Amino acid sequence: MQCCSSPNATVCVVDATSSEDVSALYAPWLERRWHVVTCNKKVNSGNLEYYTRCMDATKNGGGKWFVEATIGAGLPIVSTLRTLVATGDEIESVQGIFSGTMSFLFNTWDGESAFSETVALAKAAGYTEPDPREDLNGLDVARKVVIAARECGVALSLDDVVVQSMVPSELASCSADEFLERYAENDAAMAQAAANASKKGCVLRFVGHVDVKARSASVRLVEFAKAHPFATLSGADNIFEIKTARYGPTGGSTPLIVRGPGAGAAVTAAGVFGDIVGLAKNLSLA
Amino acid sequence: MQCCSSPNATVCVVDATSSEDVSALYAPWLERRWHVVTCNKKVNSGNLEYYTRCMDATKNGGGKWFVEATIGAGLPIVSTLRTLVATGDEIESVQGIFSGTMSFLFNTWDGESAFSETVALAKAAGYTEPDPREDLNGLDVARKVVIAARECGVALSLDDVVVQSMVPSELASCSADEFLERYAENDAAMAQAAANASKKGCVLRFVGHVDVKARSASVRLVEFAKAHPFATLSGADNIFEIKTARYGPTGGSTPLIVRGPGAGAAVTAAGVFGDIVGLAKNLSLA
């Protein structure tokens, strides 16, 4: 970092890692007026005290901090939430399908065949982590829920998110191979949940939810009517539904919805690059 | 304007009119480095030479020109298109339901009852202009199509948009009362179009479309499969589907979709206010 140590240099650090070692440097960077653009979720969903220190730095004349790609990759989620807050709208809730992997699983599974087979299929197609429990345990979604909550002004941490894991507790600590072999034990329970939903004309979706008014958040399996935007999703798309005083039933209207690919190298890079362009505009360099 | 004539003053003019007299002043304002924030569609969808003069002014060190609320009100459409363009994505097409009135009509009409009755119902509920032909003729949608096209770098004018009007030519110039009385003459043709769509498992939607590669644009009635995001719309929602090299079939993924209320005082004011906040950030005032 020696080369950038001139106090007058305009410096923007782009963190495209998922490293905690790198993100532990955000606060000192922001405090010395370096700008930070990141797709690394670790600070925005991590320790609240450290997050607050970074926020304070950026508010108190420090560097600017752009995090669009930490949720929904290049989709305009953080920027939309920030504009709603900045223009005095009251956000009531943010909910959606924040994980491409979980989206693919529930868009693909018919509710009748074995759910574990759909997981195996998704793993074979490269849609899951090498150990699919890293998707199925809901932690990735919970991180994004925390990021969304904080953008809405709700100071939550991961521990505050009520997570309904799709991994049975007895399979949480075995080897990945044993998990894949034994996950079929869970199929009957999943089929029953799907059948219960189907009786009501609904399908199951794995949903992250921030209730801004109640200052609470959850990640869980929810039933949605077949015509609901979450039910008609396809592929590995993400979808975000933002209900506010202006966009939602209490305002006599409907929510604001953004849908599209929310993961992958190209769209994540686009989200990061969009923030760099936004920073350059802020600095009147573009 | 005398009070703002100091050459060093930072001036932002907010045009919340739909007046051509006001918008005729954008170029001189931008040229003297005044910023312009507007929901007035007249310049962005009007005479191409004058639009180009405004764009040149803003590019060549003049004022900044923010137009988010000219299309989709407060929905993040212009900002998303600009970010896609700025980050080097190749936009292939922008299509959608850009008119709350036309959205309401086709989301409400069942395809079997008289279309003219749905129009009468929408007029009674205050969803249409006093003369519903101003919605049905597609001109409002065509203006938004021109705005979207220009944001994508396609220098179109209103005359270039192929518009399929929902007003039969023989009813184009009679009185509004006579139109409402005689519009039922058109019902058989509409019912036939809906029946043709229904046979293919489709519904009709009134869609604006910019084909960026072909540099062409249209406003017309299009058939969509019942599971398509356009077909599952409700109320008076707008929906925008943006296909790009990153977001779309050629990139092996799906389009970017934004949906929600795209008209009305609160969300239009929000779009304008969001631009003012964005300008303030650009000027490091916020």
Side-chain angles (χ1 to χ4, degrees), chain B residues 34-78:
Chain B
W34 288 12
H35 309 294
V36 176
V37 169
T38 186
C39 56
N40 183 341
K41 297 176 188 56
K42 293 292 159 59
V43 175
N44 293 74
S45 66
N47 178 279
L48 190 59
E49 200 180 332
Y50 184 69
Y51 167 81
T52 305
R53 184 180 155 199
C54 292
M55 283 300 287
D56 287 347
T58 197
K59 279 178 190 161
N60 299 328
K64 295 179 194 296
W65 187 20
F66 286 74
V67 301
E68 185 65 81
T70 59
I71 177 165
L75 298 175
I77 309 304
V78 172

mmCIF file of all heavy atoms in Angstrom, chain B residues 34-78:
data_model
loop_
_atom_site.group_PDB
_atom_site.id
_atom_site.type_symbol
_atom_site.label_atom_id
_atom_site.label_comp_id
_atom_site.label_asym_id
_atom_site.label_seq_id
_atom_site.Cartn_x
_atom_site.Cartn_y
_atom_site.Cartn_z
ATOM 1 N N TRP B 34 -26.373 25.028 -15.438
ATOM 2 C CA TRP B 34 -27.446 24.733 -14.498
ATOM 3 C C TRP B 34 -27.809 23.254 -14.666
ATOM 4 O O TRP B 34 -27.798 22.728 -15.775
ATOM 5 C CB TRP B 34 -28.681 25.600 -14.793
ATOM 6 C CG TRP B 34 -28.523 27.033 -14.440
ATOM 7 C CD1 TRP B 34 -27.370 27.683 -14.104
ATOM 8 C CD2 TRP B 34 -29.565 28.010 -14.397
ATOM 9 N NE1 TRP B 34 -27.620 29.005 -13.864
ATOM 10 C CE2 TRP B 34 -28.957 29.244 -14.029
ATOM 11 C CE3 TRP B 34 -30.933 27.984 -14.622
ATOM 12 C CZ2 TRP B 34 -29.695 30.420 -13.894
ATOM 13 C CZ3 TRP B 34 -31.664 29.156 -14.488
ATOM 14 C CH2 TRP B 34 -31.042 30.365 -14.118
ATOM 15 N N HIS B 35 -28.109 22.612 -13.560
ATOM 16 C CA HIS B 35 -28.524 21.213 -13.606
ATOM 17 C C HIS B 35 -30.037 21.141 -13.805
ATOM 18 O O HIS B 35 -30.770 22.036 -13.372
ATOM 19 C CB HIS B 35 -28.119 20.502 -12.313
ATOM 20 C CG HIS B 35 -26.672 20.715 -11.968
ATOM 21 N ND1 HIS B 35 -25.639 20.217 -12.733
ATOM 22 C CD2 HIS B 35 -26.074 21.408 -10.959
ATOM 23 C CE1 HIS B 35 -24.478 20.576 -12.201
ATOM 24 N NE2 HIS B 35 -24.712 21.306 -11.124
ATOM 25 N N VAL B 36 -30.485 20.077 -14.451
ATOM 26 C CA VAL B 36 -31.917 19.912 -14.709
ATOM 27 C C VAL B 36 -32.350 18.521 -14.234
ATOM 28 O O VAL B 36 -31.722 17.519 -14.583
ATOM 29 C CB VAL B 36 -32.244 20.083 -16.210
ATOM 30 C CG1 VAL B 36 -33.719 19.801 -16.474
ATOM 31 C CG2 VAL B 36 -31.865 21.479 -16.692
ATOM 32 N N VAL B 37 -33.385 18.486 -13.404
ATOM 33 C CA VAL B 37 -34.011 17.229 -12.985
ATOM 34 C C VAL B 37 -35.458 17.290 -13.457
ATOM 35 O O VAL B 37 -36.151 18.285 -13.207
ATOM 36 C CB VAL B 37 -33.970 17.067 -11.447
ATOM 37 C CG1 VAL B 37 -34.852 15.902 -10.999
ATOM 38 C CG2 VAL B 37 -32.541 16.855 -10.964
ATOM 39 N N THR B 38 -35.911 16.248 -14.142
ATOM 40 C CA THR B 38 -37.242 16.365 -14.739
ATOM 41 C C THR B 38 -37.994 15.051 -14.826
ATOM 42 O O THR B 38 -37.400 13.981 -14.917
ATOM 43 C CB THR B 38 -37.128 16.969 -16.163
ATOM 44 O OG1 THR B 38 -38.441 17.201 -16.667
ATOM 45 C CG2 THR B 38 -36.406 16.019 -17.101
ATOM 46 N N CYS B 39 -39.330 15.163 -14.761
ATOM 47 C CA CYS B 39 -40.200 14.036 -15.108
ATOM 48 C C CYS B 39 -40.961 14.354 -16.396
ATOM 49 O O CYS B 39 -41.833 13.587 -16.808
ATOM 50 C CB CYS B 39 -41.178 13.748 -13.970
ATOM 51 S SG CYS B 39 -42.191 15.151 -13.490
ATOM 52 N N ASN B 40 -40.617 15.484 -17.011
ATOM 53 C CA ASN B 40 -41.255 15.939 -18.255
ATOM 54 C C ASN B 40 -40.649 15.175 -19.438
ATOM 55 O O ASN B 40 -39.437 15.233 -19.659
ATOM 56 C CB ASN B 40 -40.995 17.455 -18.380
ATOM 57 C CG ASN B 40 -41.661 18.075 -19.598
ATOM 58 O OD1 ASN B 40 -42.024 17.390 -20.540
ATOM 59 N ND2 ASN B 40 -41.796 19.394 -19.569
ATOM 60 N N LYS B 41 -41.508 14.453 -20.169
ATOM 61 C CA LYS B 41 -41.010 13.586 -21.244
ATOM 62 C C LYS B 41 -40.706 14.330 -22.548
ATOM 63 O O LYS B 41 -40.202 13.733 -23.499
ATOM 64 C CB LYS B 41 -42.077 12.534 -21.585
ATOM 65 C CG LYS B 41 -42.418 11.574 -20.490
ATOM 66 C CD LYS B 41 -43.563 10.668 -20.976
ATOM 67 C CE LYS B 41 -44.060 9.813 -19.839
ATOM 68 N NZ LYS B 41 -44.504 10.575 -18.661
ATOM 69 N N LYS B 42 -41.090 15.622 -22.624
ATOM 70 C CA LYS B 42 -41.122 16.286 -23.914
ATOM 71 C C LYS B 42 -39.779 16.370 -24.641
ATOM 72 O O LYS B 42 -39.723 16.199 -25.851
ATOM 73 C CB LYS B 42 -41.738 17.689 -23.752
ATOM 74 C CG LYS B 42 -43.229 17.657 -23.378
ATOM 75 C CD LYS B 42 -44.112 17.128 -24.490
ATOM 76 C CE LYS B 42 -45.466 16.613 -24.004
ATOM 77 N NZ LYS B 42 -46.305 17.585 -23.315
ATOM 78 N N VAL B 43 -38.692 16.619 -23.909
ATOM 79 C CA VAL B 43 -37.396 16.693 -24.603
ATOM 80 C C VAL B 43 -36.855 15.305 -24.901
ATOM 81 O O VAL B 43 -36.407 15.018 -26.012
ATOM 82 C CB VAL B 43 -36.367 17.499 -23.788
ATOM 83 C CG1 VAL B 43 -35.000 17.450 -24.473
ATOM 84 C CG2 VAL B 43 -36.824 18.937 -23.639
ATOM 85 N N ASN B 44 -36.932 14.415 -23.920
ATOM 86 C CA ASN B 44 -36.320 13.101 -24.099
ATOM 87 C C ASN B 44 -37.030 12.248 -25.142
ATOM 88 O O ASN B 44 -36.459 11.288 -25.652
ATOM 89 C CB ASN B 44 -36.253 12.361 -22.758
ATOM 90 C CG ASN B 44 -35.308 13.049 -21.810
ATOM 91 O OD1 ASN B 44 -35.651 14.104 -21.278
ATOM 92 N ND2 ASN B 44 -34.110 12.525 -21.638
ATOM 93 N N SER B 45 -38.278 12.587 -25.427
ATOM 94 C CA SER B 45 -38.997 11.853 -26.487
ATOM 95 C C SER B 45 -39.300 12.761 -27.669
ATOM 96 O O SER B 45 -40.001 12.357 -28.593
ATOM 97 C CB SER B 45 -40.301 11.282 -25.929
ATOM 98 O OG SER B 45 -41.199 12.331 -25.576
ATOM 99 N N GLY B 46 -38.771 13.988 -27.655
ATOM 100 C CA GLY B 46 -39.134 14.951 -28.705
ATOM 101 C C GLY B 46 -38.073 15.108 -29.776
ATOM 102 O O GLY B 46 -37.256 14.209 -29.998
ATOM 103 N N ASN B 47 -38.122 16.269 -30.413
ATOM 104 C CA ASN B 47 -37.225 16.598 -31.527
ATOM 105 C C ASN B 47 -35.782 16.147 -31.250
ATOM 106 O O ASN B 47 -35.172 16.548 -30.260
ATOM 107 C CB ASN B 47 -37.286 18.116 -31.752
ATOM 108 C CG ASN B 47 -36.360 18.570 -32.849
ATOM 109 O OD1 ASN B 47 -35.171 18.732 -32.627
ATOM 110 N ND2 ASN B 47 -36.898 18.739 -34.040
ATOM 111 N N LEU B 48 -35.251 15.327 -32.166
ATOM 112 C CA LEU B 48 -33.943 14.695 -31.930
ATOM 113 C C LEU B 48 -32.803 15.711 -31.917
ATOM 114 O O LEU B 48 -31.846 15.587 -31.135
ATOM 115 C CB LEU B 48 -33.697 13.622 -32.992
ATOM 116 C CG LEU B 48 -32.503 12.712 -32.768
ATOM 117 C CD1 LEU B 48 -32.605 11.954 -31.461
ATOM 118 C CD2 LEU B 48 -32.378 11.729 -33.941
ATOM 119 N N GLU B 49 -32.928 16.740 -32.734
ATOM 120 C CA GLU B 49 -31.862 17.745 -32.817
ATOM 121 C C GLU B 49 -31.748 18.502 -31.487
ATOM 122 O O GLU B 49 -30.651 18.734 -30.979
ATOM 123 C CB GLU B 49 -32.190 18.718 -33.956
ATOM 124 C CG GLU B 49 -31.001 19.496 -34.472
ATOM 125 C CD GLU B 49 -31.422 20.432 -35.612
ATOM 126 O OE1 GLU B 49 -32.413 20.112 -36.320
ATOM 127 O OE2 GLU B 49 -30.794 21.490 -35.754
ATOM 128 N N TYR B 50 -32.908 18.875 -30.940
ATOM 129 C CA TYR B 50 -32.898 19.608 -29.680
ATOM 130 C C TYR B 50 -32.416 18.713 -28.537
ATOM 131 O O TYR B 50 -31.639 19.133 -27.676
ATOM 132 C CB TYR B 50 -34.294 20.177 -29.376
ATOM 133 C CG TYR B 50 -34.298 21.038 -28.122
ATOM 134 C CD1 TYR B 50 -33.656 22.275 -28.094
ATOM 135 C CD2 TYR B 50 -34.928 20.603 -26.959
ATOM 136 C CE1 TYR B 50 -33.632 23.050 -26.946
ATOM 137 C CE2 TYR B 50 -34.909 21.370 -25.804
ATOM 138 C CZ TYR B 50 -34.264 22.590 -25.798
ATOM 139 O OH TYR B 50 -34.231 23.343 -24.658
ATOM 140 N N TYR B 51 -32.870 17.444 -28.541
ATOM 141 C CA TYR B 51 -32.397 16.476 -27.538
ATOM 142 C C TYR B 51 -30.873 16.354 -27.608
ATOM 143 O O TYR B 51 -30.183 16.349 -26.584
ATOM 144 C CB TYR B 51 -33.057 15.111 -27.787
ATOM 145 C CG TYR B 51 -32.432 13.971 -27.028
ATOM 146 C CD1 TYR B 51 -32.740 13.735 -25.694
ATOM 147 C CD2 TYR B 51 -31.513 13.118 -27.655
ATOM 148 C CE1 TYR B 51 -32.156 12.686 -24.997
ATOM 149 C CE2 TYR B 51 -30.920 12.062 -26.965
ATOM 150 C CZ TYR B 51 -31.247 11.850 -25.643
ATOM 151 O OH TYR B 51 -30.663 10.825 -24.954
ATOM 152 N N THR B 52 -30.340 16.263 -28.814
ATOM 153 C CA THR B 52 -28.894 16.117 -29.003
ATOM 154 C C THR B 52 -28.157 17.345 -28.484
ATOM 155 O O THR B 52 -27.082 17.231 -27.880
ATOM 156 C CB THR B 52 -28.570 15.875 -30.497
ATOM 157 O OG1 THR B 52 -29.340 14.749 -30.937
ATOM 158 C CG2 THR B 52 -27.104 15.588 -30.711
ATOM 159 N N ARG B 53 -28.752 18.536 -28.702
ATOM 160 C CA ARG B 53 -28.131 19.765 -28.192
ATOM 161 C C ARG B 53 -28.045 19.707 -26.650
ATOM 162 O O ARG B 53 -27.014 20.048 -26.067
ATOM 163 C CB ARG B 53 -28.957 20.983 -28.635
ATOM 164 C CG ARG B 53 -28.320 22.297 -28.225
ATOM 165 C CD ARG B 53 -29.137 23.513 -28.668
ATOM 166 N NE ARG B 53 -28.858 24.654 -27.787
ATOM 167 C CZ ARG B 53 -29.632 25.724 -27.660
ATOM 168 N NH1 ARG B 53 -30.764 25.823 -28.360
ATOM 169 N NH2 ARG B 53 -29.291 26.700 -26.848
ATOM 170 N N CYS B 54 -29.119 19.221 -26.013
ATOM 171 C CA CYS B 54 -29.111 19.084 -24.543
ATOM 172 C C CYS B 54 -28.062 18.073 -24.094
ATOM 173 O O CYS B 54 -27.319 18.294 -23.139
ATOM 174 C CB CYS B 54 -30.488 18.677 -24.040
ATOM 175 S SG CYS B 54 -31.738 19.956 -24.242
ATOM 176 N N MET B 55 -28.011 16.919 -24.789
ATOM 177 C CA MET B 55 -27.030 15.884 -24.445
ATOM 178 C C MET B 55 -25.615 16.417 -24.615
ATOM 179 O O MET B 55 -24.744 16.168 -23.775
ATOM 180 C CB MET B 55 -27.223 14.650 -25.340
ATOM 181 C CG MET B 55 -28.379 13.780 -24.954
ATOM 182 S SD MET B 55 -28.233 13.116 -23.278
ATOM 183 C CE MET B 55 -26.955 11.876 -23.508
ATOM 184 N N ASP B 56 -25.379 17.131 -25.704
ATOM 185 C CA ASP B 56 -24.040 17.690 -25.947
ATOM 186 C C ASP B 56 -23.667 18.657 -24.832
ATOM 187 O O ASP B 56 -22.530 18.665 -24.353
ATOM 188 C CB ASP B 56 -23.992 18.400 -27.305
ATOM 189 C CG ASP B 56 -23.995 17.411 -28.464
ATOM 190 O OD1 ASP B 56 -23.785 16.208 -28.209
ATOM 191 O OD2 ASP B 56 -24.226 17.828 -29.616
ATOM 192 N N ALA B 57 -24.659 19.473 -24.407
ATOM 193 C CA ALA B 57 -24.393 20.442 -23.339
ATOM 194 C C ALA B 57 -23.963 19.716 -22.065
ATOM 195 O O ALA B 57 -22.977 20.079 -21.421
ATOM 196 C CB ALA B 57 -25.626 21.296 -23.071
ATOM 197 N N THR B 58 -24.697 18.655 -21.722
ATOM 198 C CA THR B 58 -24.398 17.946 -20.468
ATOM 199 C C THR B 58 -23.072 17.186 -20.562
ATOM 200 O O THR B 58 -22.340 17.060 -19.583
ATOM 201 C CB THR B 58 -25.592 17.055 -20.040
ATOM 202 O OG1 THR B 58 -25.448 16.711 -18.674
ATOM 203 C CG2 THR B 58 -25.752 15.831 -20.878
ATOM 204 N N LYS B 59 -22.740 16.706 -21.759
ATOM 205 C CA LYS B 59 -21.457 15.997 -21.947
ATOM 206 C C LYS B 59 -20.267 16.950 -21.958
ATOM 207 O O LYS B 59 -19.180 16.606 -21.510
ATOM 208 C CB LYS B 59 -21.480 15.223 -23.277
ATOM 209 C CG LYS B 59 -22.205 13.894 -23.207
ATOM 210 C CD LYS B 59 -22.237 13.213 -24.567
ATOM 211 C CE LYS B 59 -23.159 12.022 -24.578
ATOM 212 N NZ LYS B 59 -23.533 11.644 -25.960
ATOM 213 N N ASN B 60 -20.471 18.151 -22.489
ATOM 214 C CA ASN B 60 -19.356 19.082 -22.670
ATOM 215 C C ASN B 60 -19.220 20.062 -21.497
ATOM 216 O O ASN B 60 -19.098 21.265 -21.700
ATOM 217 C CB ASN B 60 -19.530 19.855 -23.986
ATOM 218 C CG ASN B 60 -19.554 18.924 -25.193
ATOM 219 O OD1 ASN B 60 -18.906 17.889 -25.184
ATOM 220 N ND2 ASN B 60 -20.327 19.286 -26.213
ATOM 221 N N GLY B 61 -19.309 19.524 -20.290
ATOM 222 C CA GLY B 61 -19.057 20.376 -19.131
ATOM 223 C C GLY B 61 -20.223 21.247 -18.712
ATOM 224 O O GLY B 61 -20.072 22.134 -17.878
ATOM 225 N N GLY B 62 -21.380 20.994 -19.282
ATOM 226 C CA GLY B 62 -22.551 21.756 -18.867
ATOM 227 C C GLY B 62 -23.163 21.177 -17.607
ATOM 228 O O GLY B 62 -22.516 20.406 -16.877
ATOM 229 N N GLY B 63 -24.416 21.528 -17.340
ATOM 230 C CA GLY B 63 -25.105 20.989 -16.177
ATOM 231 C C GLY B 63 -25.368 19.497 -16.349
ATOM 232 O O GLY B 63 -25.245 18.946 -17.441
ATOM 233 N N LYS B 64 -25.723 18.843 -15.232
ATOM 234 C CA LYS B 64 -26.107 17.432 -15.292
ATOM 235 C C LYS B 64 -27.607 17.359 -15.539
ATOM 236 O O LYS B 64 -28.353 18.256 -15.152
ATOM 237 C CB LYS B 64 -25.709 16.730 -13.992
ATOM 238 C CG LYS B 64 -24.188 16.684 -13.802
ATOM 239 C CD LYS B 64 -23.788 16.022 -12.503
ATOM 240 C CE LYS B 64 -22.327 16.277 -12.177
ATOM 241 N NZ LYS B 64 -21.393 15.694 -13.140
ATOM 242 N N TRP B 65 -28.025 16.272 -16.163
ATOM 243 C CA TRP B 65 -29.421 16.168 -16.606
ATOM 244 C C TRP B 65 -29.964 14.818 -16.144
ATOM 245 O O TRP B 65 -29.506 13.782 -16.608
ATOM 246 C CB TRP B 65 -29.443 16.296 -18.136
ATOM 247 C CG TRP B 65 -30.792 16.368 -18.747
ATOM 248 C CD1 TRP B 65 -31.970 16.703 -18.170
ATOM 249 C CD2 TRP B 65 -31.077 16.115 -20.133
ATOM 250 N NE1 TRP B 65 -32.979 16.680 -19.095
ATOM 251 C CE2 TRP B 65 -32.465 16.329 -20.298
ATOM 252 C CE3 TRP B 65 -30.311 15.741 -21.238
ATOM 253 C CZ2 TRP B 65 -33.086 16.170 -21.537
ATOM 254 C CZ3 TRP B 65 -30.929 15.590 -22.467
ATOM 255 C CH2 TRP B 65 -32.314 15.811 -22.602
ATOM 256 N N PHE B 66 -30.873 14.838 -15.205
ATOM 257 C CA PHE B 66 -31.416 13.615 -14.592
ATOM 258 C C PHE B 66 -32.870 13.419 -15.024
ATOM 259 O O PHE B 66 -33.689 14.323 -14.871
ATOM 260 C CB PHE B 66 -31.354 13.704 -13.074
ATOM 261 C CG PHE B 66 -29.979 13.555 -12.490
ATOM 262 C CD1 PHE B 66 -29.054 14.575 -12.580
ATOM 263 C CD2 PHE B 66 -29.614 12.384 -11.838
ATOM 264 C CE1 PHE B 66 -27.785 14.443 -12.026
ATOM 265 C CE2 PHE B 66 -28.347 12.241 -11.278
ATOM 266 C CZ PHE B 66 -27.435 13.262 -11.372
ATOM 267 N N VAL B 67 -33.168 12.234 -15.523
ATOM 268 C CA VAL B 67 -34.488 12.006 -16.126
ATOM 269 C C VAL B 67 -35.143 10.708 -15.650
ATOM 270 O O VAL B 67 -35.992 10.154 -16.345
ATOM 271 C CB VAL B 67 -34.375 12.006 -17.678
ATOM 272 C CG1 VAL B 67 -33.817 13.334 -18.163
ATOM 273 C CG2 VAL B 67 -33.506 10.854 -18.176
ATOM 274 N N GLU B 68 -34.763 10.222 -14.437
ATOM 275 C CA GLU B 68 -35.283 8.921 -13.978
ATOM 276 C C GLU B 68 -36.807 8.850 -14.086
ATOM 277 O O GLU B 68 -37.367 7.835 -14.508
ATOM 278 C CB GLU B 68 -34.852 8.673 -12.529
ATOM 279 C CG GLU B 68 -35.218 7.308 -11.992
ATOM 280 C CD GLU B 68 -34.503 6.187 -12.710
ATOM 281 O OE1 GLU B 68 -33.354 5.905 -12.415
ATOM 282 O OE2 GLU B 68 -35.118 5.571 -13.613
ATOM 283 N N ALA B 69 -37.496 9.926 -13.678
ATOM 284 C CA ALA B 69 -38.963 9.868 -13.571
ATOM 285 C C ALA B 69 -39.690 10.022 -14.910
ATOM 286 O O ALA B 69 -40.911 10.013 -14.940
ATOM 287 C CB ALA B 69 -39.450 10.919 -12.572
ATOM 288 N N THR B 70 -38.930 10.136 -16.029
ATOM 289 C CA THR B 70 -39.621 10.231 -17.329
ATOM 290 C C THR B 70 -40.128 8.874 -17.793
ATOM 291 O O THR B 70 -40.916 8.787 -18.735
ATOM 292 C CB THR B 70 -38.686 10.800 -18.420
ATOM 293 O OG1 THR B 70 -37.538 9.951 -18.538
ATOM 294 C CG2 THR B 70 -38.251 12.221 -18.090
ATOM 295 N N ILE B 71 -39.670 7.815 -17.155
ATOM 296 C CA ILE B 71 -40.105 6.470 -17.552
ATOM 297 C C ILE B 71 -40.153 5.595 -16.305
ATOM 298 O O ILE B 71 -39.181 5.522 -15.553
ATOM 299 C CB ILE B 71 -39.187 5.887 -18.669
ATOM 300 C CG1 ILE B 71 -39.574 4.459 -19.039
ATOM 301 C CG2 ILE B 71 -37.726 5.976 -18.329
ATOM 302 C CD1 ILE B 71 -38.952 4.002 -20.353
ATOM 303 N N GLY B 72 -41.317 5.024 -16.023
ATOM 304 C CA GLY B 72 -41.474 4.171 -14.845
ATOM 305 C C GLY B 72 -41.523 4.934 -13.532
ATOM 306 O O GLY B 72 -41.401 4.329 -12.465
ATOM 307 N N ALA B 73 -41.683 6.268 -13.587
ATOM 308 C CA ALA B 73 -41.747 7.106 -12.370
ATOM 309 C C ALA B 73 -40.531 6.828 -11.483
ATOM 310 O O ALA B 73 -39.404 7.032 -11.926
ATOM 311 C CB ALA B 73 -43.064 6.904 -11.621
ATOM 312 N N GLY B 74 -40.738 6.323 -10.245
ATOM 313 C CA GLY B 74 -39.626 6.103 -9.332
ATOM 314 C C GLY B 74 -38.912 4.775 -9.507
ATOM 315 O O GLY B 74 -37.923 4.505 -8.817
ATOM 316 N N LEU B 75 -39.375 3.924 -10.412
ATOM 317 C CA LEU B 75 -38.697 2.636 -10.623
ATOM 318 C C LEU B 75 -37.304 2.876 -11.214
ATOM 319 O O LEU B 75 -37.127 3.783 -12.029
ATOM 320 C CB LEU B 75 -39.524 1.747 -11.570
ATOM 321 C CG LEU B 75 -40.912 1.341 -11.094
ATOM 322 C CD1 LEU B 75 -41.644 0.566 -12.202
ATOM 323 C CD2 LEU B 75 -40.832 0.479 -9.838
ATOM 324 N N PRO B 76 -36.338 2.049 -10.817
ATOM 325 C CA PRO B 76 -34.961 2.291 -11.290
ATOM 326 C C PRO B 76 -34.738 1.787 -12.713
ATOM 327 O O PRO B 76 -34.133 0.742 -12.923
ATOM 328 C CB PRO B 76 -34.111 1.510 -10.276
ATOM 329 C CG PRO B 76 -34.999 0.390 -9.840
ATOM 330 C CD PRO B 76 -36.411 0.922 -9.881
ATOM 331 N N ILE B 77 -35.229 2.534 -13.688
ATOM 332 C CA ILE B 77 -35.095 2.116 -15.096
ATOM 333 C C ILE B 77 -33.960 2.876 -15.780
ATOM 334 O O ILE B 77 -33.003 2.268 -16.274
ATOM 335 C CB ILE B 77 -36.414 2.334 -15.866
ATOM 336 C CG1 ILE B 77 -37.608 1.700 -15.128
ATOM 337 C CG2 ILE B 77 -36.298 1.786 -17.288
ATOM 338 C CD1 ILE B 77 -37.464 0.234 -14.836
ATOM 339 N N VAL B 78 -34.040 4.199 -15.810
ATOM 340 C CA VAL B 78 -32.999 4.983 -16.491
ATOM 341 C C VAL B 78 -31.647 4.726 -15.824
ATOM 342 O O VAL B 78 -30.642 4.498 -16.501
ATOM 343 C CB VAL B 78 -33.350 6.482 -16.476
ATOM 344 C CG1 VAL B 78 -32.182 7.314 -17.012
ATOM 345 C CG2 VAL B 78 -34.614 6.754 -17.299
#
